[in-house]
Amino acid sequence: MNDSQPDRSARGRPEPPGKSAMLSFLLGMAAAAYIVEQLVYNFVMAITTYFQKTADPQDIAPSLALGFTINHTAAVFIPAAGGMLWLWNFRLVFWGGVVLSLIALILTRYIPRH
């Protein structure tokens, strides 16, 4: 057989079940990511609404601006730090996420209830 002729010994189109499983997995991950993103967005909206109902009107704009700045700084710094940790040991990235989540959970206990 020369190089100019196609290989006709193949038996039909290859459609292994692994491709279907991978597609299902990726669609499921995309759906889960969308649901989590919507939950986070709703929590942010709830926190902002709560803050607007409880804070003095003159404190709302500066406080929201500071919160936006802190969130933006964290959104830039934490992924960069995670990328550097990943190069050293990928498990540390996930443990770091656990630690940050626990810190956030502990700090929410100090929010006044009144």
Side-chain angles (χ1 to χ4, degrees):
M1 182 157 100
N2 61 26
D3 291 334
S4 64
Q5 295 177 344
D7 182 14
R8 300 195 188 277
S9 64
R11 298 181 182 179
R13 295 184 309 171
E15 294 187 23
K19 301 286 185 193
S20 299
M22 181 60 78
L23 178 64
S24 299
F25 172 75
L26 291 174
L27 287 174
M29 289 297 291
Y34 176 77
I35 290 169
V36 168
E37 190 270 333
Q38 290 298 312
L39 286 172
V40 169
Y41 177 74
N42 287 328
F43 281 127
V44 168
M45 189 184 317
I47 290 170
T48 303
T49 303
Y50 173 77
F51 179 67
Q52 289 175 344
K53 289 182 178 184
T54 59
D56 291 331
Q58 66 208 26
D59 293 338
I60 292 175
S63 297
L64 289 178
L66 178 64
F68 181 78
T69 303
I70 291 171
N71 283 339
H72 180 73
T73 303
V76 170
F77 173 73
I78 291 175
M84 287 187 265
L85 280 176
W86 188 280
L87 294 174
W88 189 40
N89 185 346
F90 71 93
R91 290 176 184 92
L92 292 176
V93 176
F94 299 102
W95 284 112
V98 169
V99 169
L100 287 176
S101 297
L102 287 174
I103 290 170
L105 182 64
I106 291 168
L107 290 177
T108 57
R109 304 288 295 162
Y110 294 102
I111 297 174
R113 294 191 180 264
H114 58 294

